[in-house]
């Protein structure tokens, strides 16, 4: 188990135990930095992703009644819906060299839509993490209800974020692993110190993009998913010009505070992007049960 997940959980436990307490991101970071042994070595972009988790601690704990009308941008309903937009952007436009994070929620509104569910209208700032560009986006998230069970439906417009030209690094990565005699195999991205070897970083990013397909599909109004770790990723023989990967990934569902294991089979190529072929939640993961209460 990554130490940094344990740290995040410990911090969360402290916060959600008392609904009146809100913790600012700064205070949290300072608190974590006060424990040198538990501070992982984040690469900048990973720190950005992790930073969002801390930001999301600024919430109220109990919400039995779904908020309707204008939402507090810092509270769970708006943050959860905005997180789904992040997963959507990664699903649509993510790459080993392009990843989206949620920078801020500016405003949000939620309404019941007769028979079909609840519609969130959001103004957010999304961040393209690798080029470190931030842009305002307008988004709508519909969580289906009743008869129309299914995944959230998302629309978002923020075209500026797609301007970075990642053709060259994508093509180089593709050629390197398409033509290599030995197939890639990697574990623990990031490792227990939060570290990722530079040449493995594209595969952490690929894992995030593939996981976004799961997180988008699994998200409801009551969830908040983050990618925690690529436990392992194994390259399979290339088929139809697609690099193919078998992976075991850990998601962090922050409302239930569960670490959820998924097995994903996916492909990637620059023109086709990431396509998840199979996804399976591992419910009885005996080998990979990790003690979370050892901190
Ligand atoms: C990203 O950009 C912002 C402002 O544009 C800057 O303050 C910040 O330091 C940058 N972050 C990184 C990791 O370069
Ligand atoms: C991106 O860069 C490649 C060369 O690396 C160039 O051929 C291509 O036209 C560029 N695409 C855009 C949209 O600028
Ligand atoms: C082939 O893959 C191995 C292991 O992933 C890596 O160390 C090596 O640099 C790769 N070779 C080329 C030519 O990319
Ligand atoms: C998405 O989730 C639904 C359940 O909400 C499930 O039935 C469906 O198979 C999932 N999609 C994929 C591609 O697994
Ligand atoms: C991948 O990681 C999981 C979780 O740590 C572990 O249970 C599984 O055996 C690993 N698989 C391989 C092929 O290394």
């Amino acid at each position: 188990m990554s130490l940094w997940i344990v740290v995040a959980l410990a911090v969360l436990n402290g916060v959600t135990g008392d609904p009146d307490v809100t913790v600012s991101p700064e205070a949290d970071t300072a608190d974590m930095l006060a424990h040198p042994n538990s501070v992982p070595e984040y690469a900048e972009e990973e720190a950005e992703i992790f930073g969002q988790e801390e930001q999301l601690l600024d919430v109220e704990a109990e919400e039995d009644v779904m908020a309707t009308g204008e939402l507090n941008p810092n509270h769970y309903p708006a943050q959860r819906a905005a997180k789904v937009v992040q997963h959507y952007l990664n699903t649509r436009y993510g790459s080993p060299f392009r990843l989206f994070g949620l920078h801020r929620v500016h405003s949000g509104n939620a309404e019941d839509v007769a028979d079909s569910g609840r519609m969130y209208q959001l103004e957010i700032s999304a961040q393209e993490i690798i080029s470190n560009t931030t842009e305002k986006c307008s988004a709508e998230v519909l969580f289906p209800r009743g008869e129309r069970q299914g995944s959230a439906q998302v629309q978002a417009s923020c075209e500026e974020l797609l301007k970075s030209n990642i053709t060259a690094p994508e093509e180089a990565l593709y050629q390197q692993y398409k033509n290599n005699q030995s197939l890639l195999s990697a574990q623990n991205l990031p490792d227990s110190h939060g570290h990722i070897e530079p040449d493995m970083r594209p595969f952490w990013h690929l894992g995030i993009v593939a996981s976004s397909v799961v997180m988008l599909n699994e998200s409801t109004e009551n969830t908040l998913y983050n990618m925690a770790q690529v436990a392992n990723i194994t390259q399979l023989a290339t088929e139809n010009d697609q690099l193919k990967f078998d992976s075991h990934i850990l998601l962090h569902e922050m409302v239930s505070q569960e670490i959820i294991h998924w097995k994903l089979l996916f492909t990637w190529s620059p023109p086709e992007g990431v396509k998840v072929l199979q996804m399976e939640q591992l419910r009885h993961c005996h080998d990979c049960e990790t003690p979370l209460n050892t901190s």
Side-chain angles (χ1 to χ4, degrees), residues 1-7 188-194 228-229 250:
M1 167 54 61
S2 280
L3 187 55
W4 64 280
I5 297 170
V6 176
V7 171
N188 303 330
L189 310 177
D191 69 14
S192 58
H193 303 288
Q229 190 188 44
L250 310 187

Side-chain angles (χ1 to χ4, degrees), residues 14-280:
V15 173
T16 51
D18 180 350
D20 295 330
V21 176
T22 55
V23 178
S24 74
E26 291 77 13
D28 242 59
T29 309
D31 188 45
M32 290 178 66
L33 290 172
H35 306 290
N37 291 338
S38 53
V39 176
E41 213 187 293
Y42 286 106
E44 277 164 9
E45 62 204 60
E46 276 72 45
E48 292 291 344
I49 291 175
F50 191 69
Q52 293 155 29
E53 300 192 10
E54 296 168 36
Q55 201 177 333
L56 293 170
L57 296 176
D58 187 14
V59 295
E60 288 180 350
E62 87 282 17
E63 257 142 43
D64 294 337
V65 181
M66 285 298 172
T68 293
E70 195 177 332
L71 305 174
N72 182 327
N74 297 320
H75 287 190
Y76 263 145
Q79 291 284 337
R80 287 175 189 166
K83 197 73 176 172
V84 178
V85 179
Q86 174 189 324
H87 301 321
Y88 169 81
L89 292 174
N90 278 321
T91 302
R92 290 289 297 269
Y93 310 112
S95 140
F97 301 97
R98 182 185 283 137
L99 272 190
F100 298 95
L102 174 60
H103 184 62
R104 263 190 75 185
V105 180
H106 298 286
S107 66
N109 195 80
E111 301 294 341
D112 289 320
V113 181
D115 298 333
S116 57
R118 276 165 61 77
M119 173 71 84
Y120 287 74
Q121 285 172 321
L122 302 162
E123 296 295 324
I124 65 171
S125 287
Q127 183 181 24
E128 199 288 286
I129 292 164
I130 297 167
S131 66
N132 189 25
T133 48
T134 301
E135 190 206 343
K136 282 196 180 176
C137 307
S138 300
E140 288 187 347
V141 182
L142 175 69
F143 291 103
R145 274 227 185 124
E147 300 284 292
R148 301 187 42 187
Q149 285 296 333
S151 303
Q153 293 158 28
V154 184
Q155 291 187 327
S157 65
C158 34
E159 276 105 26
E160 288 289 316
L161 287 175
L162 300 174
K163 282 202 170 155
S164 64
N165 189 344
I166 55 175
T167 309
E170 282 191 331
E171 197 55 36
L173 183 75
Y174 176 75
Q175 291 302 335
Q176 180 182 349
Y177 286 91
K178 181 169 184 274
N179 298 323
N180 201 322
Q181 292 295 316
S182 65
L183 296 169
L184 166 91
S185 174
Q187 285 79 39
N188 303 330
L189 310 177
D191 69 14
S192 58
H193 303 288
H195 181 72
I196 302 174
E197 288 299 320
D199 60 343
M200 288 299 109
R201 189 153 299 152
F203 299 100
W204 158 240
H205 297 162
L206 267 178
I208 293 174
V209 175
S211 300
S212 294
V213 175
V214 177
M215 294 191 283
L216 178 61
N217 198 43
E218 295 292 306
S219 289
T220 70
E221 283 177 287
N222 300 309
T223 60
L224 187 66
Y225 281 101
N226 270 302
M227 172 63 168
Q229 190 188 44
V230 176
N232 44 56
I233 180 166
T234 306
Q235 186 184 2
L236 307 176
T238 300
E239 287 171 16
N240 309 321
D241 286 335
Q242 305 292 306
L243 301 189
K244 194 170 180 184
F245 300 95
D246 196 4
S247 66
H248 186 126
I249 55 131
L250 310 187
L251 305 182
H252 182 188
E253 204 288 289
M254 299 188 70
V255 178
S256 64
Q257 302 192 17
E258 279 183 284
I259 299 292
I260 305 169
H261 294 246
W262 285 80
K263 196 170 153 51
L264 299 184
L265 186 67
F266 65 92
T267 59
W268 174 73
S269 70
E272 298 288 322
V274 173
K275 298 257 185 295
V276 174
L277 305 179
Q278 280 174 31
M279 51 196 235
E280 179 194 357

